[in-house]
Structures are given as C-alpha cells and as structure tokens.
Amino acid sequence: MRALGIDLGTARIGVAVSDSDGLVATPYEVFTLSGDVDLDRARLLELVDETGAEIIVIGLPLNMDG
C-alpha cells in the first residue's frame, strides 16, 4: 500500500512517498504555500493522483530537533 507523507509547515509543505509495500518513504517534493487554501488543496490532490497513494499520513513538525 503506497502512502503519501505530508509535513505541514507555515510556509512550505514537504511531501514523501513510500514504496509500494509501504515500508520505506523517500522525499518527493517540497512546495511553497500559495496563500490560497483551495489552490494548495488542489496541489495535494494532484500529488495523491501522481503517486497512486492509497493512504495519507500527516505530520506536524513543531521544531527542527524533533
């Protein structure tokens, strides 16, 4: 099962995609938020389609030291 990992930030969204077994994720894309929620949501949906993700995992990075 391919998963799409999303790290939400205040300025950018980091995206990672797993292998087809859902075991290992690799960085896929980082995009800058546009300020338009609908446009940003549409980009996320495009990424789901592009990668064939069946599940979405959302992280919320609070600081850089974990």
Side-chain angles (χ1 to χ4, degrees):
M1 175 183 306
R2 188 173 308 275
L4 190 73
I6 298 173
D7 281 331
L8 299 174
T10 56
R12 288 175 293 283
I13 293 178
V15 180
V17 64
S18 76
D19 60 4
S20 59
D21 294 327
L23 298 175
V24 178
T26 55
Y28 188 75
E29 179 177 322
V30 175
F31 69 92
T32 303
L33 294 171
S34 68
D36 180 342
V37 174
D38 291 329
L39 186 62
D40 296 334
R41 184 180 300 130
R43 181 61 190 136
L44 287 173
L45 290 174
E46 288 174 5
L47 290 169
V48 170
D49 287 339
E50 281 177 25
T51 61
E54 299 173 60
I55 188 169
I56 298 172
V57 179
I58 300 175
L60 181 60
L62 299 177
N63 52 37
M64 296 300 288
D65 63 3

